[in-house]
Amino acid sequence: MPPMHIEERKDFPNPIEFYDNYVAPGKPVLFKGAAKQFPSYNNWKNDTYLREKYGGLTVMAETAKKEDRNNPVKPMNFSTFLSIYEEEDIYLVQDVAPPRPITEEMFVPKSLLCRGFMDFLNMALLWFSSGGTKSVLHNDSFENINCLFDGTKELIMIDRKHKELVPIDHLERGYSFVDVERVDMYKYPTLSKLPWYIANMDTGDCLYIPRNWYHHVKSSLTRNLAINLWWLFRSELKHRDECEKSLADLPEFDCLNKFRIKSGVKIEHVIFDKVFEESNSTTSTNLLKSVIPLLSSDMTRDDRIEYLTKLKRYFTEADTNEDSLLTREEVEASSVEILLPFLKKGAEKELINEYQKDEL
């Protein structure tokens, strides 16, 4: 099946248009050349500038450019990375959320300059290598705008509505071992029926990747540097009236260091991710079905029954308006400590790491 192409446009829409036309329906869009307007655009291409100004920044580097989620990461200062990245099989993946000084080089596009987005901004990440990086096929629960400042990227993307056809080998971690460049159709026969998209990013492009869209990313064999912003999805645009009133005076971009990012991943975002994949609320039955795969294989039948009984009790307590539906907001306002003792050994750490490691 030949690929379909992602919609392209040259400008960032205002926040209302962006939410209504792209975020709400879960529709990716490629903003061609949109990052070139940022004042720091050329700074990201200059290793000498980056070393002189931010060389002392401590960064984390993955020890291979082909993604293996079991590989360790290595701390070093930015200056050291800049000295070795062209020769070594290494890939910088660094959270650069404020108040780190380097955020003065980062800009938030007009599309997100509204409380309905910025109040839920979760992470800003810098991705930097000499090129040739490849990701696994995976999805993420966060909304994502990625801007490319050097190199090119090719993304293979699959709509989340086709999730039943996507061969996810690691369900709890949301990724697959399938080699999308040389697909084994005997092992993964559903892929032959799967509609897919292709997005080609050039230097200066920005791409919106909707939450839970599956994607694989391959970078060019040249210096590659990108920055992405992650935020939490909401089923409606919060503070919409306030946002609409501000449209007339909205700038094309604003500096990231003016904003506060609520960095980090809450365990409820990990455990309840699949529950709220298609809806802002869930029933007790769906909640149980989503958590069961995370239970330890060492649990006895009686332990499982006891745990699920406690989980039902949690549902009742968290459902504050007593409508027999649990919403994202109710989950985030409640305690989820009941879940932690029953996760597979190491699962909490592994799952959270998946939200802090991506390919772009």
Side-chain angles (χ1 to χ4, degrees), residues 203-221:
T203 302
D205 292 351
C206 295
L207 175 67
Y208 164 59
I209 304 175
R211 66 188 178 93
N212 294 324
W213 269 61
Y214 297 91
H215 50 287
H216 159 82
V217 184
K218 180 173 68 173
S219 297
S220 59
L221 298 176

Side-chain angles (χ1 to χ4, degrees), residues 27-219:
K27 180 182 178 182
V29 57
L30 182 61
F31 304 107
K32 295 296 294 182
K36 294 180 180 180
Q37 66 182 312
F38 298 154
S40 61
Y41 174 71
N42 288 314
N43 293 345
W44 292 111
K45 301 175 183 295
N46 189 332
D47 285 354
T48 300
Y49 173 85
L50 294 174
R51 180 183 290 107
E52 290 177 352
K53 195 159 186 182
Y54 306 109
L57 175 69
T58 299
V59 298
M60 304 299 293
E62 296 186 5
T63 53
K65 289 189 287 187
K66 184 173 182 179
E67 185 178 21
D68 181 339
R69 298 196 170 189
N70 294 314
N71 276 349
V73 294
K74 184 178 180 181
M76 62 183 68
N77 63 46
F78 197 20
S79 180
T80 299
F81 174 83
L82 290 168
S83 298
I84 66 175
Y85 82 96
E86 292 180 303
E87 304 298 331
E88 296 192 16
D89 188 19
I90 198 167
Y91 189 14
L92 185 150
V93 182
Q94 179 62 41
D95 182 359
V96 286
R100 295 172 178 84
I102 200 170
T103 55
E104 67 185 24
E105 307 283 351
M106 300 177 183
F107 291 85
V108 180
K110 175 173 67 176
S111 301
L112 300 184
L113 293 178
C114 167
R115 281 187 63 193
F117 290 112
M118 297 307 294
D119 281 1
F120 302 101
L121 199 60
N122 183 266
M123 200 173 294
L125 292 173
L126 171 64
W127 312 88
F128 188 1
S129 76
S130 61
T133 60
K134 294 181 181 180
S135 79
V136 293
L137 178 65
H138 70 286
N139 67 357
D140 302 299
S141 295
F142 290 99
E143 303 287 348
N144 180 3
I145 284 185
N146 178 278
C147 291
L148 185 61
F149 293 89
D150 208 359
T152 64
K153 291 184 185 292
E154 179 187 81
L155 289 90
I156 291 174
M157 305 176 68
I158 301 169
D159 194 327
R160 62 195 180 208
K161 69 183 180 182
H162 299 303
K163 65 179 182 179
E164 300 301 329
L165 297 176
V166 181
I168 297 299
D169 303 303
H170 290 265
L171 182 61
E172 75 279 8
R173 297 173 69 183
Y175 74 93
S176 173
F177 278 133
V178 63
D179 184 344
V180 298
E181 295 177 324
R182 300 180 64 184
V183 177
D184 183 342
M185 287 300 182
Y186 291 102
K187 186 175 182 180
Y188 302 107
T190 58
L191 289 180
S192 64
K193 307 173 184 177
L194 196 59
W196 57 288
Y197 294 79
I198 190 167
N200 291 302
M201 294 183 71
D202 296 315
T203 302
D205 292 351
C206 295
L207 175 67
Y208 164 59
I209 304 175
R211 66 188 178 93
N212 294 324
W213 269 61
Y214 297 91
H215 50 287
H216 159 82
V217 184
K218 180 173 68 173
S219 297

Side-chain angles (χ1 to χ4, degrees), residues 275-326:
V275 184
F276 298 118
E277 192 171 71
E278 297 177 352
S279 173
N280 193 50
S281 61
T282 184
T283 64
S284 175
T285 299
N286 285 339
L287 176 65
L288 296 178
K289 286 181 179 179
S290 70
V291 174
I292 285 174
L294 294 175
L295 298 181
S296 170
S297 59
D298 297 332
M299 291 178 70
T300 66
R301 181 176 181 275
D302 288 343
D303 287 340
R304 284 174 174 260
I305 291 174
E306 180 183 359
Y307 169 71
L308 295 177
T309 300
K310 289 181 179 179
L311 189 57
K312 289 180 181 179
R313 190 179 306 126
Y314 163 77
F315 183 99
T316 301
E317 293 173 355
D319 180 21
T320 53
N321 63 358
E322 300 181 351
D323 63 351
S324 298
L325 291 173
L326 196 62

